[in-house]
Amino acid sequence: MPTRSAMVQEVERMHVAGLATMAYYYFDFRDVKKQDCDGLLSSLVLQLSAESDSCYNILSQLYSDNSRGIRKPSINALKKCLKDMLGLPGQGPIYIIVDALDECPNFPGRPSARGKVLDLVEELVDLNLPNVHLCVASRPEMDIRSVLEQSTTLKMSLDDEIGQKEDIIRYIESVVRSDRSMRRWKEEDKRFVIDTLSYKSDGM
């Protein structure tokens, strides 16, 4: 079974070859600007607008409708913009990859950023556009599972996959060996840090 990074690389290869359109978004708990539905929608419409003149024209209209950027567009306006782009006729395959959804904040019992993103996921699935492929990657948290299990046509668990763990180990090694402050460490100390972090990550 392919790892998540392998799947992203394959879509990127298709994109570079001109065989598909790709829009990728990563929720990052370290960046408050990348933790909500506004950030996701803004990024997706910007990426798609760079792919074709027709998508650019839709975004340009949104810009004009909001006093040429003076007003911030509403979430509903951004959703309409995205849906209009995805619904343009004659388009080839479009891959939308939403990564690390679990890092989007969630507040049980009241409206949350993650809840709005899950609402968007359901709306995109309900469009039933045959050329649009939506991939959502996340840890299997309860609220996310309850939505995705109803909406998905294909589900893969990578938590226990060897390839997923190897990706994590390679990333940890690259950080430890490239970090300026760690260059003078003894090799056994570097190996201890790598092994400890790899064990504690448990495939996450």
Side-chain angles (χ1 to χ4, degrees):
M1 182 181 292
T3 64
R4 181 169 63 192
S5 62
M7 288 187 288
V8 173
Q9 289 170 8
E10 176 60 19
V11 175
E12 285 179 335
R13 183 194 65 79
M14 295 170 61
H15 178 232
V16 171
L19 302 175
T21 297
M22 173 183 175
Y24 176 88
Y25 189 82
Y26 179 82
F27 282 99
D28 190 345
F29 72 92
R30 297 165 297 184
D31 186 348
V32 294
K33 295 180 180 178
K34 299 192 68 176
Q35 295 179 7
D36 58 27
C37 198
D38 283 343
L40 169 62
L41 284 164
S42 298
S43 177
L44 294 181
V45 299
L46 282 172
Q47 290 180 68
L48 292 176
S49 71
E51 295 292 318
S52 76
D53 291 340
S54 297
C55 287
Y56 177 82
N57 290 337
I58 292 173
L59 180 60
S60 180
Q61 184 61 52
L62 177 68
Y63 179 74
S64 298
D65 291 345
N66 287 274
S67 301
R68 302 184 63 82
I70 295 176
R71 294 198 312 268
K72 181 180 178 180
S74 68
I75 192 168
N76 286 332
L78 286 168
K79 282 184 179 182
K80 184 180 185 304
C81 182
L82 176 60
K83 292 175 183 178
D84 287 347
M85 289 180 177
L86 296 178
L88 286 169
Q91 297 189 99
I94 300 173
Y95 291 86
I96 296 177
I97 301 173
V98 180
D99 202 353
L101 178 54
D102 55 283
E103 294 193 13
C104 181
N106 182 44
F107 308 106
R110 58 191 176 97
S112 67
R114 189 189 297 174
K116 291 180 180 179
V117 173
L118 290 171
D119 287 343
L120 173 64
V121 168
E122 290 183 303
E123 290 179 40
L124 295 181
V125 171
D126 288 343
L127 292 176
N128 280 320
L129 295 171
N131 64 312
V132 176
H133 309 279
L134 178 62
C135 174
V136 179
S138 172
R139 292 179 180 175
E141 297 193 3
M142 187 69 69
D143 59 318
I144 297 174
R145 288 181 61 181
S146 65
V147 170
L148 297 187
E149 287 179 352
Q150 296 177 30
S151 303
T152 186
T153 56
L154 175 63
K155 177 178 67 175
M156 289 190 295
S157 174
L158 301 178
D159 292 343
D160 299 322
E161 291 298 319
I162 293 175
Q164 177 81 347
K165 293 180 180 178
E166 288 176 349
D167 281 349
I168 293 171
I169 293 171
R170 281 196 295 269
Y171 173 75
I172 293 172
E173 285 184 338
S174 70
V175 171
V176 170
R177 298 193 184 284
S178 63
D179 188 280
R180 185 182 300 272
S181 64
M182 298 183 185
R183 288 179 183 173
R184 296 183 181 180
W185 288 17
K186 295 179 181 179
E187 180 59 31
E188 55 265 33
D189 293 335
K190 293 179 182 177
R191 176 49 53 188
F192 174 76
V193 171
I194 292 168
D195 291 345
T196 300
L197 291 177
S198 299
Y199 172 77
K200 288 184 177 298
S201 72
D202 193 27
M204 297 295 187

